[in-house]
Amino acid sequence: MSTTFSSRPGFILSSAGSAIGLGCIWKFPYMATQHGGGAFFLVYIGLALTLGLALMSTEMALGRATGQGICGAFRSLGNRRWQAWAYLPVATAFIIMGFYCVVGGWSLAYVAGSLRGEVVGKDLTLLTSRFNALIANPGMAVMWMAGFLALTAAVVLGGIQRGIELMSRWLMPLLFVLMLVLIVRGVTLPGAWEGVQFLLRPDFSGFSFGTLLAVLGLAFFSLSLGMGAMVTYGAYLKPESDLPASAGWVVALTLLVCLLGGLLVVPPAFALGIGTQAGPGLTFISMPAIFASMAGGEIFAVLFFVLLLVAALTSSVSLLEVCVRFGIDELGFGRRKAVLIASAGMFALGVPAALSFSLMSDMTLSGRHAFDFMDHITSNIMLPVGGIATAVFCAWFCWHDLAAQLRHQDRSRSRLLLGARIVVGIVAPLAISVILLQGA
Ligand code: PHE
């Protein structure tokens, strides 16, 4: 089985596939709506283009320099103590998958529902209660979650070229086209323009450190940083590819899809009067209402939910791949065994997350049910801390090896590299620590 991506576009699309997912299309729209719209977006762009880009390049370089997953990379360029730090990102990927596959399961359920023509509707109360009925039904929630996990496992079993790359190459371009078509329809609904303005007009009046922490968490989450995904994919990148340019593409595409995700979901929510009150159900409630106002809405509904599913899947495969790589590199498993064991563990975590809206809604940890708790500790604590550890390690313990990866052919890029080292080694750890401490 081949262990590199076959081409640079294949690598870029797969890494963008990891980054672009529920973060852009599900999380970003409702978080931006809850945290003041344009201001949230602007800070998100700022963080993505500075810390995000620098960290993504170095994570990828770490993978390519060592040809290993994050634990192996920390061990071979650092030492045993550093290697212990790398357990944190692997654990993060594992926990994220616990709640990610629940939302992936909702997408799968909506694909099935749209195929039966049961998703589209104009009546908002009905759409909301349909969504609530799905998430509050314990059997359904667990079954769809397990279905999504099984799909993820099937792709990862296929390996890099025949699994992850093949899927991303075909489906990511389709995602862009479909989003554009749906946006045009959504923003022309009466009342939708107010949503566009809300999303794009920066209003910093309610902005706090808590908001900054939320943006930071989302930036890490949506760019797949701080948990070894980009290290793992970097390990499969051919030596001759220009690494910072590839990372630039991935960040730019992710920003673009967040913008598109916002424009897709938020304006119709305004048109429908859900406005700024909606939470995690936003995508699943406002989209079916747009379809109701479109000719051929039933078909668009199928397409949309298939693509949401695909976006989720191209991300969840990278989460599983991080854990699979850990099993292969650290525990000596074969790919198949690693996939089976990691998926079984993720299923065990996914069950309480799936039941958070029904049987286990009263079981809380620091006031949050399992689903919210997993989301909160990973995005707001584990990803940023994993990011600091990776940044410090890269800039101060193995920069020499990484710089060799970040150069391209005979260009020395000394200024670019100095800038990146300052961002990764000084700005990122300081800024992330301050935001973490103030926002907590
Ligand atoms: N970036 C993915 C998304 O936005 C989620 C993810 C996080 C995937 C971390 C891999 C690693 O949906």
Side-chain angles (χ1 to χ4, degrees), residues 237-302:
L237 178 63
K238 288 191 172 154
E240 61 276 13
S241 297
D242 185 353
L243 215 158
S246 305
W249 269 104
V250 176
V251 172
L253 289 173
T254 309
L255 279 175
L256 180 68
V257 177
C258 277
L259 175 64
L260 295 182
L263 287 175
L264 184 67
V265 177
V266 177
F270 272 73
L272 293 167
I274 318 176
T276 57
Q277 302 124 40
L282 187 60
T283 308
F284 295 91
I285 295 169
S286 75
M287 293 312 292
I290 318 189
F291 302 130
S293 64
M294 293 172 81
E298 303 274 352
I299 298 169
F300 278 107
V302 176

Side-chain angles (χ1 to χ4, degrees), residues 31-295:
M31 284 185 76
T33 319
Q34 286 170 342
H35 292 284
F40 186 90
F41 189 37
L42 208 64
V43 177
Y44 174 78
I45 297 177
L47 283 180
L49 289 178
T50 50
L51 301 192
L53 184 56
L55 280 173
M56 183 172 294
S57 308
T58 30
E59 281 204 10
M60 288 173 171
L62 190 58
R64 191 167 69 178
T66 57
Q68 302 195 40
I70 186 150
C71 279
F74 271 50
R75 186 181 48 240
S76 57
L77 293 184
N79 52 32
R80 291 246 156 226
R81 229 183 294 141
W82 269 113
Q83 187 196 346
W85 268 103
Y87 294 144
L88 175 71
V90 178
T92 314
F94 194 69
I95 299 176
I96 291 182
M97 193 61 178
F99 75 89
Y100 206 87
C101 58
V102 173
V103 187
W106 299 345
S107 319
L108 193 57
Y110 268 68
V111 170
S114 61
L115 283 170
R116 290 194 304 265
E118 287 170 3
V119 158
V120 177
K122 274 209 170 69
D123 179 356
L124 208 57
T125 334
L126 186 69
L127 293 175
T128 312
S129 59
R130 247 188 226 158
F131 176 69
N132 289 337
L134 166 72
I135 66 174
N137 180 329
M140 287 292 177
V142 171
M143 184 190 90
W144 290 117
M145 178 275 289
F148 180 77
L149 195 54
L151 279 178
T152 307
V155 176
V156 176
L157 268 181
I160 298 303
Q161 281 192 12
R162 279 188 305 132
I164 296 174
E165 181 173 353
L166 187 69
M167 175 179 70
S168 307
R169 258 177 178 261
W170 284 98
L171 297 176
M172 293 308 289
L174 199 63
L175 178 74
F176 281 100
V177 176
L178 194 83
M179 284 182 97
L180 286 175
V181 174
L182 292 173
I183 286 170
V184 172
R185 182 60 199 124
V187 297
T188 49
L189 289 174
W193 195 244
E194 208 190 313
V196 177
Q197 285 177 324
F198 175 77
L199 198 64
L200 300 180
R201 192 181 325 111
D203 168 12
F204 281 91
S205 55
F207 209 87
S208 64
F209 262 107
T211 321
L212 198 53
L213 179 61
V215 187
L216 181 75
L218 181 69
F220 271 96
F221 183 88
S222 62
L223 292 168
S224 305
L225 294 174
M227 42 67 69
M230 294 302 168
V231 180
T232 310
Y233 276 16
Y236 305 129
L237 178 63
K238 288 191 172 154
E240 61 276 13
S241 297
D242 185 353
L243 215 158
S246 305
W249 269 104
V250 176
V251 172
L253 289 173
T254 309
L255 279 175
L256 180 68
V257 177
C258 277
L259 175 64
L260 295 182
L263 287 175
L264 184 67
V265 177
V266 177
F270 272 73
L272 293 167
I274 318 176
T276 57
Q277 302 124 40
L282 187 60
T283 308
F284 295 91
I285 295 169
S286 75
M287 293 312 292
I290 318 189
F291 302 130
S293 64
M294 293 172 81

